[in-house]
Amino acid sequence: MDSTLFIIGIIGNIISVLVFISPIKTFWRIVRSGSTEEFEPAPYVFTLLNALLWLYYGLTKPDGLLVATVNGFGAVMEAIYVVLFIVYAADGATRVKTAKLAAALDIGAFGVVFAATTFAISELDLRIMVVGMICACLNVIMYGSPLAAMKTVITTKSVEFMPFFLSFFLFLNGGVWATYAVLDRDIFLGIPNGIGFVLGTIQLIIYAIYKNSKASQSSKETAEDDGWQASSPLLVSDAGHDQGEASSHV
C-alpha cells in the first residue's frame, strides 16, 4: 500500500472511531436512568448493518485492511449499543421492535448478502463489485437523515436539530475517506463519502447562516434550562441522533 494512502487511511480510521464512540454519553445516560426514553433504535441497527457490510467489503478486497479494521471496531460498538437498547428498552414493545429489527437486518439481511456473495459468486472481482454496490447504496439511502436535518433547520431557522460537531465530522469524515477512495481508485468508497463531504459542507454553511438566529438562541437557552447536554450530539434531538449515525460511515 502506498504510504500516502496508508497515512490518509489511518487519519480516516481515527476520525471514524471518534464518530463511532460519540454515542457513549447517550448510552451512559440510558444505563443510569434505566430507560431508552424517547430514543429510536433504528439508526443503531442500520449503522450496525452498514458497519458489517463494510467490514465484509474490506476483508474481501485486497488491501482493504484499513476499511475492515475501522468497521470491525464500529460493528462491535454498534452491537453493544443495540444490546443495551434491548436491555434498557423503555417498554416491552420497544424491546421487541428492536430485537426484531436487529434480527431481520443485522442477522438476516447481512447473512443473505454474505451467503449469496460467498457461495454464489466465485469470481473475486465480481464479488467485490456486488458487495461494494450494496454498501454504497445503503450509505446513500442513510444520508436521508442529514438532508432531513437541513430541511428542519431551514424551516425552523434554528440549528437545534443540527449540532455543529455532527456536521463538522460528516464534512471531515467524508472528505478524508473520499480522498482515500480517489487515491485507491475505489468508486464504491468514493461515491457515498463524496456525497457525505458535499452534505457536510452544505450543513456547515447552513449552520453559519442560522447559528445566531433568534430561534437558535431561544432553543439553546431552553436546552440549557432543561439540563440537556449540548455537547452530546445524540441528546439534542432524534433528528440530530439520526444524523450522528449517518455520519459514521466510511
Side-chain angles (χ1 to χ4, degrees):
M1 182 182 295
D2 180 78
S3 59
T4 302
L5 184 65
F6 181 76
I7 292 172
I8 293 175
I10 291 296
I11 295 173
N13 269 245
I14 294 172
I15 296 171
S16 296
V17 165
L18 292 176
V19 175
F20 277 126
I21 66 175
S22 65
I24 287 179
K25 286 186 178 180
T26 295
F27 280 91
W28 177 241
R29 164 179 167 169
I30 288 173
V31 171
R32 284 191 304 174
S33 66
S35 171
T36 55
E37 302 173 19
E38 298 299 321
F39 292 111
E40 286 293 326
Y44 300 104
V45 174
F46 275 104
T47 305
L48 174 55
L49 174 61
N50 187 67
L52 288 170
L53 287 171
W54 279 115
L55 170 61
Y56 178 41
Y57 177 80
L59 292 174
T60 303
K61 179 186 174 183
D63 295 329
L65 178 63
L66 292 177
V67 175
T69 52
V70 69
N71 283 285
F73 175 82
V76 171
M77 294 303 298
E78 296 300 328
I80 293 173
Y81 298 151
V82 172
V83 169
L84 288 175
F85 215 103
I86 293 174
V87 172
Y88 293 101
D91 51 60
T94 301
R95 181 174 291 108
V96 172
K97 172 186 173 182
T98 305
K100 287 183 176 179
L101 193 61
L105 295 178
D106 300 329
I107 298 176
F110 175 73
V112 169
V113 172
F114 178 81
T117 54
T118 299
F119 300 110
I121 304 177
S122 57
E123 185 182 346
L124 180 60
D125 289 342
L126 180 59
R127 185 186 305 164
I128 292 172
M129 183 180 72
V130 172
V131 176
M133 287 179 63
I134 294 173
C135 291
C137 288
L138 180 60
N139 265 28
V140 171
I141 291 173
M142 291 179 71
Y143 277 129
S145 294
L147 287 173
M150 285 189 280
K151 179 182 178 182
T152 302
V153 170
I154 294 173
T155 302
T156 63
K157 300 185 185 304
S158 170
V159 296
E160 177 188 5
F161 302 117
M162 195 176 71
F164 172 78
F165 283 107
L166 290 183
S167 302
F168 179 70
F169 274 111
L170 179 61
F171 163 81
L172 199 60
N173 198 53
V176 171
W177 282 108
T179 302
Y180 178 93
V182 170
L183 293 176
D184 196 38
R185 298 179 182 178
D186 189 328
I187 189 173
F188 304 117
L189 272 175
I191 291 176
N193 285 289
I195 293 174
F197 175 72
V198 172
L199 289 178
T201 302
I202 295 174
Q203 285 191 342
L204 290 176
I205 294 173
I206 292 176
Y207 188 92
I209 293 173
Y210 292 105
K211 69 176 181 178
N212 293 321
S213 67
K214 291 182 179 179
S216 293
Q217 295 300 321
S218 176
S219 298
K220 182 178 179 181
E221 291 173 1
T222 301
E224 290 174 351
D225 290 341
D226 291 341
W228 286 72
Q229 299 179 34
S231 61
S232 180
L234 301 192
L235 291 182
V236 178
S237 67
D238 286 338
H241 171 196
D242 294 345
Q243 183 191 343
E245 291 302 297
S247 69
S248 64
H249 310 147
V250 299

